Amino acid sequence: MPAYFLEIAIVLLGLGLLMVDAFATTLDRRLLGHLGIAGVAAVLAGLVFGVDSSASEPLWGFYATDTAALFYKGLALVCTLLVLVLALEYAPVLESYRDGRPGRRGLGEFLCLPLFLCAGLMWMASMTDLLGLFVALETVTITFYVVVAYMRRNLGSLEAGVKYLILGALSTGFLLYGLAWLFGLTGQTNLAAIQTVLVDWKGDTTPLLFTMALLMVGLSFKVGAAPFQFWIPDVYQGAPTPITAFLSVGSKAAGFIVLIRLLEPLLASPIRHAVLLMLGVLAGATLIVGNLAAISQSNFKRLLAYSSIAHAGFLLMALAAGQPAGGVSPNGVVALYLGTYLVMTMLAFAVLVIVRKAGGSDELTAFNGLSQRSPFLAFALVLAMASLAGVPLTAGFFGKFFSLVLIAGAGQWALLTVAVVAAACGFYYYFKVIRCMYWNDPVSEAPPLVFSQLTRVAIILLCVAVVVLGVYPKPLTCLLAP
Amino acid sequence: MTALLPATILFLPLLAAAKILLLPKPMKGLAPAVSVGSVVLTLILSLVLWAKTGSDSTTVTLGSWINLGDMLQLNIGFKINALATGMMLVVTFIGTLVHLFSLAYMKDDDGKARYFAGLSLFMFSMTGIVLADNLAMMFIFWELVGVSSYLLIGHWFEKNSAAEAAKKAFLTNRIGDFGFMIGILMLWKATGSVTFDGIESAVRGMTVDPGWLTAAILCIFCGAVGKSAQLPLHVWLPDAMEGPTPVSALIHAATMVAAGVYMMIRVSFLLALPDAATAAHVIAWTGGLTALFAALCATQQNDIKKILAYSTLSQLGYMVMAVGLLAKEAAFFHLFTHAFFKALLFLGSGAIIYACHHEQDIWKMGGLARKLPRTTLTFLIGTAALIAVPFVTSGWYSKETILHAAHAHGGLLFYIGAGTAFLTAFYMTRLCVVAFLGTPRAHGADHAHEVPKIMLLPLVILAVPSVIGGFSFFAGRFLTLPPADHDHASHVPMIASLIALASGVSLGWLLYRGRDRDPVRISLLARKFFIDELYASLVSWGQDAVARIIHYVDILIIDGLGVRGLSGLAAVVGGGLRRLQGGNLQAYGFLFGCGVVVLLFIALSLH
């Protein structure tokens, strides 16, 4: 089976579920979510077992099926699966912020839209053509605009939507301008063809540098790198929590695959050192901003937002190293980092969704005494926080470790120092959450924490993944080879 | 051989522990059955492994664990030879009997499931230490036995002394383990490998800097000092007796504390290097001094378990001394026999304590020989082995080999060994005379009655290897016996130990027969040379001094120059970031534009 059947299957699944939502008026909308989960799981199985990447591709030229593409497709599918589980759990909150009679408050569409996001992310992973890349990216971004503002009676959600729309459009403009320059300079839209032109670039490098800066602006926005990270805390806080999770994992992964694909020709061109330096500057600024600002946060969702900025800093740092070191390659480290980041971030958001549903608040105080209210959830969140901080024997350790190995191998000691200090800061604000859960007493009459068996299974699997990948990273380290 | 069999032996107890923890509350009653089942099965599989291995030495790999290219390649591998299979049999055999004993001993305990999960976790960790083919894996399991020991010592954590003892054991071990870890890293740096085979072939093929090698060996030895409770890190073991008695028998007498000795035997090829003579010397003296010191302390203890704990320290000292004297066969031989008779003595003391309604003071016992005839008999067999009654006990043979090694080496260590043998005979006679003879001195001993059969059974079974464990027809099957050198064998060690035994027993008999109170009071020994007090004051004094210095450094340098500056900077930056993050969309757009300008400026200035 060619790989692009998977995207087609996901789109058909999404359209089918929308039809069901439109015509089967008496149906419990949750069923759509369950069907979506089953469908995504089936496509995931197809990706793992059924894809024949060596088959001749009728879409050749702008559709790659290399290992990286397949890995990021898998990442998108797993992410979507977990987001759907969270969305089902979050449904009562969502419906309380929508108009209409019960059962007709748009839950069905909310459960279908992540599928279109998923399809966009999967296309993006494969695109090797400027046009295709841009269309895929915008499919994702525009869908995000819709779902971020989905809770129409919630001012925060609306505000987040507006901010995301305007700033997103601004950044897209810069990205598109950069792509146009790239096309103008080389006369090609295919990345491989662009690379052949740029390798032998003899002319003035000023237009190349200009193009590079424009592309960096657009993509820094997508991955949440400083100084284009301003939207992240506000949008993350306002958006429905499952969507925040999707943004912080899926959108970031998408940004990085595009960044890797677009930088490849530039890194082969005469301006290679400038690209690496620019990445290093962005990485350093992002690490500092993300970690320093996270320290003073008292809202868990904003904390996770800054944490996602901080992680983007580590990812950019891996890319800024520019060369393999110690048997690991920058692109491999980014893939491994994103894989582990998915697991631990989703775990944190899963617990947040449940606590938010019960307590009506995202503040850190809502987590006070969680160890007494639900030892299971508290333990899961401890694992997530330890992993996000990068404690050894949790999944999060290896990503940070390898990005430090890379940057040390490249001899960029200033950046290494910043990263080590940033990682140390991380311990403070992640462990603040643990302190809330275990040291503080719960507010009296704290409502019981209820969640479905499906969510419980998902949380258990994520916990197992955090520990297993921390102890036995073999399944992911195969990505690392240069 | 495939890695399947050792892997099964390793992971079976872990599965049991996990299963017990996951059992729903009403089914916690199944916990003992799961745990006992797993340990019996591992005993059978260990026998199979022993039979299949014979005298071969193989390394099998279960799979790659961490592969970082040229930097480091770690496998989950097992190094299986006669040493490992012999140790496995000791661990699983005694483990099985202790599990059985615990069935009765812990029958009415509320935390029974937790207890058995802890035992299974311990069996898993100990198996990992025994089978691991590299130091990194061994270190992880090393820490895991530390954890399970912590959990089991602190089993009755509501009791303050138990919680304190657990903490003390864990922290003291941490000191040793830190050295162990540094030693592993030093060896890795020197040889580029952490597997036993890799290190061995590396040190054979090249010369390591003697100073570096000595430091590495001594750092690794730190781990053994912590785990096998040698001077000066011995303080945790006597306190660890706060745990349930079967745990003391399994972990703090027979197996875990012997892990340090076992590990040193595993890396004994390092000690045999000509450059390592200094390190070997230090190790031998550490062992010898520990043996003597602990035996001295044991003579003035009144708690039956404390006496046995100090006797364990002393016997471990013998083993470490043998390792240092490059007599690794003698060390393992003594480890082997000691495991049986010391487990027997501890389980016996458990039975006595149980029978006397949890009375541990030997001066409140007395006349137990009539009340508990069978327990007394097995306890006396264990005692006979410990004090090395010639020719008919296992302890005689193994202790002889160590004394022979010391004698062959020459110098003071042999006299220390012989002196320890005298003290051993003395304090064990004291214990037996006071506890078993005379008349009951307290209510508990007066109402003691024979323990249930399931507690008696392990005692009887352990009595058998305590007697025959030293005979070459038996021990020779399970381990490599030290080479007997009949031509040059001196009779001095044998005569010395016979004199030590005779004088020790008679002195103990004469002093303590018919006494109701201790006629000898040496507070220096009773208070264990004041080492605990010394450490406590040293720690508090040292902490105060260091704290004072750090305080001034803090105020003058860090606060004055560093933090004020840095924290001020962080506050300014944080405040600035906060102000920027005002939520105003127009401001965000403006900042976005500024960012674009900055990026373009940087990019174009790189031209």
Side-chain angles (χ1 to χ4, degrees), chain B residues 340-604:
Chain B
F340 296 118
F341 64 72
K342 191 47 73 59
L344 170 62
L345 284 172
F346 262 109
L347 289 186
S349 77
I352 291 169
I353 293 166
Y354 185 83
C356 293
H357 309 280
H358 292 275
E359 181 53 62
Q360 304 200 1
D361 189 340
I362 54 170
W363 293 102
K364 293 188 178 156
M365 295 174 184
L368 292 178
R370 277 189 309 274
K371 305 268 181 193
L372 318 165
R374 299 195 192 97
T375 310
T376 306
L377 184 65
T378 55
F379 197 89
L380 286 178
I381 292 174
T383 307
L386 175 59
I387 65 180
V389 172
F391 307 120
V392 293
T393 60
S394 58
W396 163 259
Y397 290 97
S398 55
K399 198 186 274 181
E400 272 315 275
T401 58
I402 294 180
L403 287 179
H404 264 291
H407 186 254
H409 187 264
L412 208 52
L413 279 175
F414 170 69
Y415 298 101
I416 290 181
T420 307
F422 159 74
L423 289 169
T424 311
F426 171 72
Y427 66 71
M428 285 311 289
T429 310
R430 170 179 179 259
L431 191 162
C432 291
V433 168
V434 172
F436 294 127
L437 303 180
T439 47
R441 290 179 215 96
H443 179 79
D446 204 17
H447 289 77
H449 42 76
E450 195 59 279
V451 293
K453 284 216 172 55
I454 189 157
M455 285 169 90
L456 211 50
L457 180 72
L459 298 180
V460 175
I461 295 176
L462 277 170
V464 177
S466 297
V467 175
I468 65 167
F471 300 150
S472 57
F473 76 86
F474 181 79
R477 284 170 197 273
F478 301 109
L479 48 105
T480 327
L481 288 178
D485 190 1
H486 289 294
D487 300 337
H488 303 287
S490 160
H491 292 293
V492 175
M494 192 199 269
I495 294 166
S497 46
L498 284 177
I499 294 173
L501 175 67
S503 53
V505 170
S506 29
L507 186 64
W509 179 272
L510 290 175
L511 266 179
Y512 288 97
R513 179 78 185 105
R515 305 273 182 167
D516 284 342
R517 266 181 334 109
D518 200 331
V520 190
R521 291 262 164 117
I522 307 174
S523 72
L524 181 70
L525 301 185
R527 305 284 296 275
K528 312 140 201 169
F529 290 86
F530 298 101
I531 288 196
D532 276 321
E533 287 81 358
L534 177 74
Y535 282 1
S537 58
L538 205 66
V539 166
S540 72
W541 178 84
Q543 256 175 4
D544 281 354
V546 173
R548 208 159 290 137
I549 294 169
I550 290 180
H551 179 68
Y552 286 121
V553 172
D554 194 33
I555 286 191
L556 291 178
I557 299 172
I558 299 185
D559 234 27
L561 302 175
V563 175
R564 293 269 159 77
L566 279 183
S567 72
L569 188 71
V572 169
V573 172
L577 287 173
R578 223 192 176 119
R579 204 152 304 132
L580 292 179
Q581 196 71 50
N584 184 321
L585 184 55
Q586 283 88 333
Y588 289 177
F590 172 72
L591 290 168
F592 190 107
C594 294
V596 173
V597 171
V598 170
L599 247 62
L600 281 175
F601 178 76
I602 294 176
L604 295 177

Side-chain angles (χ1 to χ4, degrees), chain A residues 163 204-206 230 234 471-472, chain B residues 64-65 581 583 588 599 607:
Chain A
K163 279 180 181 165
D204 186 10
T205 53
T206 310
F230 292 101
D234 293 17
V471 179
Y472 187 73
Chain B
S64 167
W65 175 32
Q581 196 71 50
Y588 289 177
L599 247 62
H607 177 56

Side-chain angles (χ1 to χ4, degrees), chain B residues 55-70:
Chain B
S55 57
D56 303 345
S57 174
T58 46
T59 304
V60 288
T61 308
L62 183 65
S64 167
W65 175 32
I66 292 176
N67 185 353
L68 302 180
D70 306 332

Side-chain angles (χ1 to χ4, degrees), chain A residues 141-470:
Chain A
T141 313
I142 291 171
T143 319
F144 267 130
Y145 296 150
V146 178
V147 281
V148 164
Y150 205 78
M151 302 195 290
R152 270 180 225 147
R153 281 175 49 211
N154 181 315
L155 276 182
S157 177
L158 282 182
E159 188 189 328
V162 172
K163 279 180 181 165
Y164 188 34
L165 174 65
I166 292 178
L167 292 173
L170 194 60
S171 84
T172 303
F174 280 95
L175 181 65
L176 193 55
Y177 192 33
L179 292 177
W181 268 81
L182 201 55
F183 173 68
L185 287 171
T186 59
Q188 302 285 346
T189 59
N190 186 291
L191 284 169
I194 290 175
Q195 184 160 350
T196 34
V197 176
L198 288 186
V199 167
D200 301 323
W201 186 261
K202 294 285 186 294
D204 186 10
T205 53
T206 310
L208 276 183
L209 290 169
F210 186 65
T211 309
M212 186 264 292
L214 291 175
L215 293 178
M216 289 281 189
V217 170
L219 292 172
S220 293
F221 179 86
K222 300 279 183 222
V223 302
F228 307 101
Q229 87 295 0
F230 292 101
W231 62 281
I232 287 199
D234 293 17
V235 172
Y236 277 30
Q237 193 181 6
T241 308
I243 299 307
T244 312
F246 212 155
L247 265 177
S248 91
V249 180
S251 178
K252 195 174 299 288
F256 272 98
I257 178 79
V258 174
L259 191 62
I260 288 173
R261 293 227 187 271
L262 278 179
L263 287 186
E264 208 170 333
L266 288 173
L267 281 172
S269 75
I271 61 158
R272 176 186 167 82
H273 70 283
V275 177
L276 292 181
L277 191 99
M278 183 67 95
L279 282 172
V281 169
L282 288 173
T286 310
L287 281 169
I288 292 171
V289 168
N291 285 295
L292 281 187
I295 288 179
S296 59
Q297 295 309 314
S298 59
N299 179 298
F300 188 57
K301 239 167 149 182
R302 279 182 95 83
L303 183 77
L304 284 176
Y306 282 107
S307 141
S308 105
I309 298 173
H311 284 288
F314 279 102
L315 285 156
L316 282 172
M317 188 177 76
L319 286 179
Q323 64 195 36
V328 296
S329 69
N331 290 357
V333 171
V334 170
L336 174 128
Y337 202 121
L338 286 169
T340 52
Y341 177 72
L342 174 138
V343 176
M344 53 209 192
T345 309
M346 279 297 177
L347 187 55
F349 275 108
V351 178
L352 171 64
V353 164
I354 296 166
V355 172
R356 164 73 180 81
K357 195 171 74 168
S361 161
D362 300 327
E363 295 294 320
L364 274 180
T365 48
F367 290 81
N368 280 351
L370 189 65
S371 62
Q372 292 163 45
R373 296 168 65 197
S374 166
F376 170 69
L377 290 181
F379 177 71
L381 198 53
V382 166
L383 276 183
M385 289 298 119
S387 184
L388 284 168
V391 176
L393 297 186
T394 59
F397 169 71
F398 285 100
K400 280 205 173 86
F401 171 69
F402 284 126
S403 48
L404 291 174
V405 165
L406 280 175
I407 208 72
Q412 300 190 27
W413 304 113
L415 198 49
L416 181 72
T417 316
V418 170
V420 170
V421 173
C425 285
F427 276 88
Y428 172 75
Y429 56 83
Y430 291 123
F431 280 49
K432 206 160 77 170
V433 182
I434 298 180
R435 192 184 65 197
C436 279
M437 292 191 297
Y438 284 87
W439 270 259
N440 296 358
D441 287 325
V443 284
S444 50
E445 296 157 31
L449 296 155
V450 281
F451 49 99
S452 66
Q453 287 300 320
L454 188 65
T455 315
R456 179 183 291 273
V457 171
I459 291 178
I460 290 175
L461 287 179
L462 287 169
C463 286
V464 170
V466 165
V467 174
V468 168
L469 289 177

Side-chain angles (χ1 to χ4, degrees), chain B residues 114-468:
Chain B
R114 186 159 50 83
Y115 172 81
F116 277 98
L119 276 188
S120 286
L121 180 67
F122 169 75
M123 292 302 288
F124 164 68
S125 330
M126 191 65 209
T127 309
I129 290 185
V130 175
L131 294 179
D133 82 329
N134 62 68
L135 282 167
M137 224 172 115
M138 191 186 234
F139 183 75
I140 289 176
F141 286 106
W142 193 264
E143 295 298 318
L144 275 172
V145 287
V147 171
S148 37
S149 156
Y150 170 80
L151 294 174
L152 287 168
I153 295 172
H155 179 71
W156 291 311
F157 56 85
E158 345 39 86
K159 213 166 68 179
N160 205 23
S161 57
E164 288 292 327
K167 199 161 74 184
K168 186 169 174 184
F170 196 77
L171 291 179
T172 313
N173 267 298
R174 292 299 315 141
I175 300 174
D177 295 350
F178 189 67
F180 188 22
M181 186 169 75
I182 291 177
I184 294 173
L185 293 175
M186 286 178 82
L187 274 185
W188 178 40
K189 169 98 172 104
T191 64
S193 172
V194 291
T195 63
F196 296 120
D197 295 342
I199 294 174
E200 188 166 1
S201 61
V203 292
R204 292 263 152 82
M206 63 182 182
T207 46
V208 182
D209 176 60
W212 186 271
L213 180 71
T214 307
I217 293 176
L218 288 180
C219 280
I220 287 200
F221 178 60
C222 279
V225 169
K227 199 64 77 194
S228 291
Q230 299 293 295
L231 281 176
L233 297 182
H234 65 283
V235 287
W236 66 271
L237 186 60
D239 288 23
M241 297 301 134
E242 290 292 340
T245 307
V247 167
S248 307
L250 176 63
I251 301 185
H252 305 119
T255 55
M256 184 190 86
V257 288
V261 177
Y262 177 82
M263 184 265 285
M264 291 312 291
I265 298 175
R266 274 278 210 204
V267 298
S268 57
F269 57 86
L270 288 173
L271 290 173
L273 294 172
D275 286 338
T278 319
H281 213 63
V282 173
I283 292 171
W285 272 96
T286 310
L289 288 179
T290 308
L292 184 64
F293 160 84
L296 280 172
C297 291
T299 57
Q300 281 286 297
Q301 301 302 312
N302 296 327
D303 182 324
I304 183 168
K305 286 182 73 180
K306 286 263 162 85
I307 299 176
L308 291 176
Y310 277 106
S311 130
T312 306
L313 280 179
S314 165
Q315 300 299 309
L316 288 166
Y318 268 132
M319 298 174 212
V320 170
M321 184 172 86
V323 169
L325 295 172
L326 307 185
K328 62 172 181 184
E329 287 88 3
F332 189 62
F333 189 21
H334 198 54
L335 192 164
F336 183 78
T337 58
H338 173 258
F340 296 118
F341 64 72
K342 191 47 73 59
L344 170 62
L345 284 172
F346 262 109
L347 289 186
S349 77
I352 291 169
I353 293 166
Y354 185 83
C356 293
H357 309 280
H358 292 275
E359 181 53 62
Q360 304 200 1
D361 189 340
I362 54 170
W363 293 102
K364 293 188 178 156
M365 295 174 184
L368 292 178
R370 277 189 309 274
K371 305 268 181 193
L372 318 165
R374 299 195 192 97
T375 310
T376 306
L377 184 65
T378 55
F379 197 89
L380 286 178
I381 292 174
T383 307
L386 175 59
I387 65 180
V389 172
F391 307 120
V392 293
T393 60
S394 58
W396 163 259
Y397 290 97
S398 55
K399 198 186 274 181
E400 272 315 275
T401 58
I402 294 180
L403 287 179
H404 264 291
H407 186 254
H409 187 264
L412 208 52
L413 279 175
F414 170 69
Y415 298 101
I416 290 181
T420 307
F422 159 74
L423 289 169
T424 311
F426 171 72
Y427 66 71
M428 285 311 289
T429 310
R430 170 179 179 259
L431 191 162
C432 291
V433 168
V434 172
F436 294 127
L437 303 180
T439 47
R441 290 179 215 96
H443 179 79
D446 204 17
H447 289 77
H449 42 76
E450 195 59 279
V451 293
K453 284 216 172 55
I454 189 157
M455 285 169 90
L456 211 50
L457 180 72
L459 298 180
V460 175
I461 295 176
L462 277 170
V464 177
S466 297
V467 175
I468 65 167

